Amino acid sequence: MSPSTITLLFLLFAVVMFVLEKIPLSVTSMIVCIGLIITGVLDVETAFAGFINSNVILFVAMFIVGGALFETGMANKIGGIVTKFAKSERMLIVAIMVIVGLMSGVLSNTGTAAVLIPVVIGIAAKSGYKRSRLLMPLVFAAAMGGNLSLIGAPGNMIAQSGLEEIGLKFGFFEYAIVGLPILIAGIIFYATIGFKLLPNHEVKDEGAFDTDRDFSDVPPWKQWLSLIILVLTLLAMIFEDQIGIKLCISGAIGALLLILTGVISEKEAIKAIDMKTIFLFGGTLSLAAALQQTGAGELIAGKVIGALGANPSPYILTFVVFILCCALTNFMSNTATTALMVPICISIAQGMGADPRAVLMACVIGGSCAYATPIGMPANTMVVGAGGYRFVDYVKAGFPLIIIATVVGMIILPIAFPFFP
């Protein structure tokens, strides 16, 4: 059997097991990772490279930084202040999505989610609303916000570099022409019809996210220092390019400072790390690597686009590229999806004598629609444990958002980026 066939079989296995959830998601993820090594598709280094991926390091660091906000009771304090202003659960969801969406436009969407997850759990604890209903809108807004500017998501920059090679480019806020209407539509959706689709789970407080504790014995300096370090970590992430320190390193410095200053102990820091998330994310990155290395991802893309024939209608091509990127991005990282599709899209557009910007915009926006699985993007994975989510929760709450993004995208794309200008 060819490596690409084996990879596609593992992808099928992962999808089926994720949906049925007969075994934990993280265990399925590790079976795939080990299976790809045993079948010779990946070597050990490549298969386990996901565990030293910068996002995994960011997860670990931010679990500790977020955990400190809980261990000291500061998250509950912030939650109490915020809930005074939000009069209802719907208002709270809208407020969270607006703040996260706008922050994510200029910050890494993973970084934005990582910083705000502990704050939102604190808000849930104080307001009495279930955190499972607040965390999903948070991560979806982070993904949608990534399409507001050139630096909002790594995929945006990949498309830009692909365009620059042929002498074209997107403006800094040009993605927002499509991205902002999708964000607005998404917020309206979860404040209305989508409100009923949000998961409604009772989550047992474990580890650092124990919100029932009495924090009266915690010295105020610990509470304030945990908040100051969180804010400084956030500022370091915002000015990543200026200071030349990567997000994961800023997070790691924040985590180390919390332990060194005695805000939390080493034991509490380790307790704050959600290992299920680490194994789920690290293990599934091996599948993404296999899809890329064996050409299985390209095979799927080639077959789908090839089925359109020699001279497809521009509108149908844009639609197929959008849908294909939506499908791939829920199982590969959106960065990998965009990297895979950009050269294919440019060559098709050039072959038809069309404006590549039109197809690439569909590719980037489609590639950010990773709402239907817990492994579609790092932020989705980060809240699996905290929200007590199952695979099906993402499908139920996230799939309608993909449909909304597709409809909005298909209306705006041909107007704002005509195929044959």
Side-chain angles (χ1 to χ4, degrees), residues 90 133 189-200 396-397:
R90 281 176 210 264
R133 297 183 60 76
F189 174 69
Y190 287 112
T192 53
I193 310 159
F195 184 73
K196 292 188 176 66
L197 299 174
L198 293 169
N200 197 10
K396 274 200 323 218

Side-chain angles (χ1 to χ4, degrees), residues 92-110 112-113 116 120 133-148 152-153 179-180 182-188 190 198 368-371 377 379-380 383 397-398 401:
L92 202 50
I93 288 169
V94 170
I96 288 167
M97 290 188 80
V98 169
I99 293 163
V100 175
L102 294 176
M103 275 178 68
S104 184
V106 288
L107 252 175
S108 134
N109 41 26
T110 310
T112 304
L116 292 177
V120 170
R133 297 183 60 76
L134 303 181
L135 289 173
M136 211 168 256
L138 162 86
V139 293
F140 291 167
M144 290 187 281
N147 291 326
L148 296 184
L180 186 60
I182 289 175
L183 175 64
I184 293 167
I187 293 171
I188 293 169
Y190 287 112
L198 293 169
S368 68
C369 292
Y371 314 121
M377 55 187 173
N380 285 13
V383 294
L401 189 54

Side-chain angles (χ1 to χ4, degrees), residues 198-267:
L198 293 169
N200 197 10
H201 301 319
E202 281 293 351
V203 184
K204 203 162 96 258
D205 286 314
E206 290 173 358
F209 295 132
D210 182 357
T211 49
D212 297 329
R213 280 174 40 196
D214 173 24
F215 297 104
S216 55
D217 58 339
V218 177
W221 70 266
K222 282 191 175 185
Q223 296 187 331
W224 285 106
L225 198 52
S226 71
L227 180 62
I228 290 163
I229 290 174
L230 177 79
V231 172
L232 290 175
T233 305
L234 174 62
L235 287 172
M237 287 176 174
I238 293 172
F239 297 108
E240 180 188 12
D241 293 337
Q242 286 83 345
I243 61 174
I245 299 174
K246 288 191 175 298
L247 296 183
C248 59
I249 304 301
S250 295
I253 293 168
L256 287 170
L257 281 174
L258 287 162
I259 299 168
L260 291 172
T261 52
V263 173
I264 55 170
S265 65
E266 182 196 19
K267 193 176 169 187

Side-chain angles (χ1 to χ4, degrees), residues 329-398:
T329 195
N330 278 287
F331 295 97
M332 289 169 72
S333 82
N334 48 11
T335 313
T337 301
T338 317
L340 168 74
M341 291 297 292
V342 162
I344 298 172
C345 291
I346 289 175
S347 62
I348 292 169
Q350 285 181 316
M352 294 171 69
D355 180 5
R357 288 158 34 95
V359 200
L360 282 194
M361 186 57 81
C363 166
V364 170
I365 303 289
S368 68
C369 292
Y371 314 121
T373 67
I375 54 167
M377 55 187 173
N380 285 13
T381 319
M382 284 190 89
V383 294
V384 171
Y389 297 132
R390 296 190 292 272
F391 187 91
V392 185
D393 293 327
Y394 288 87
V395 179
K396 274 200 323 218

Side-chain angles (χ1 to χ4, degrees), residues 290-330:
L291 281 166
Q292 225 173 335
Q293 275 196 19
T294 62
E298 213 167 329
L299 190 75
I300 297 168
K303 286 267 187 264
V304 172
I305 288 171
L308 297 176
N311 289 309
S313 131
Y315 201 77
I316 288 175
L317 176 67
T318 309
F319 176 72
V320 168
V321 164
F322 195 97
I323 293 298
L324 183 58
C325 288
C326 282
L328 287 173
T329 195
N330 278 287

